[in-house]
């Protein structure tokens, strides 16, 4: 029987190895996107994809950027056609930032690439192995709890 502390270390090492593999999947999924937008710009697109249109102040808080810095970044991605400024129908003074179809396509493409890459990796496993992976990932995610969006946004995911 393996001592608990040795098993815990082995489990932690296995999780660390799996996390490196998953980070490789994430890196590959955004590599093409980062040829047309910067990582901070992609972070904006991901936030807007998850939340829908946001006021500039709320968006700045979500990605941890000062309003003046964000305003310049938004100017650039509006010019590139990834987002647009709109007004809220109920308050014409309130400016919202929202994804354009082109911005939505960038985010969707990265997420689809990520999903396809994971599916390709899993395709070499037997049904029992896939079932074990699903169970392990669900257990791990439950034990880890919900990861804050701020932590994920550092990487634009």
């Amino acid at each position: 029987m393996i001592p608990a502390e040795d098993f815990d270390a082995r489990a932690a090492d296995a999780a660390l190895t799996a996390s490196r593999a998953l980070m490789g999947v994430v890196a590959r999924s955004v590599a093409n996107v980062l040829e047309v937008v910067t990582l901070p710009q992609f972070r904006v697109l991901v936030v807007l994809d998850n939340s829908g249109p946001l006021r500039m102040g709320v968006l700045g808080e979500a990605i941890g950027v000062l309003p003046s810095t964000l305003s310049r970044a938004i100017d650039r991605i509006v010019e590139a056609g990834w987002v647009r400024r709109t007004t809220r129908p109920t308050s014409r003074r309130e400016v919202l930032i929202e994804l354009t179809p082109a911005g939505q396509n960038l985010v969707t493409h990265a997420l689809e690439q990520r999903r396809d890459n994971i599916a390709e990796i899993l395709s070499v496993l037997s049904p029992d192995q896939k079932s074990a992976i699903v169970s392990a990932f669900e257990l791990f995610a439950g034990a880890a709890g919900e990861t804050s969006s701020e932590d994920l946004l550092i990487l634009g995911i």
Side-chain angles (χ1 to χ4, degrees), residues 36-38 40-42 44-45 48 54-56 59 69-87 95-104 106:
V36 294
V37 296
T38 66
Q41 290 170 341
F42 188 64
V44 168
L45 301 181
L48 293 172
L54 292 174
R55 291 186 335 261
M56 188 79 84
L59 180 57
T69 303
L70 180 61
S71 182
R72 288 188 299 271
I74 294 298
D75 288 344
R76 287 190 292 274
I77 58 178
V78 164
E79 189 175 309
W82 310 120
V83 300
R84 68 177 151 247
R85 289 181 175 90
T86 62
T87 56
V95 176
L96 299 173
I97 307 301
E98 69 179 0
L99 280 177
T100 63
Q104 180 67 61
L106 273 178

Side-chain angles (χ1 to χ4, degrees), residues 6-25:
D6 289 346
F7 187 76
D8 288 348
R10 189 170 148 216
D13 287 344
L16 186 58
T17 300
S19 73
R20 282 194 300 267
L22 287 170
M23 288 307 301
V25 169

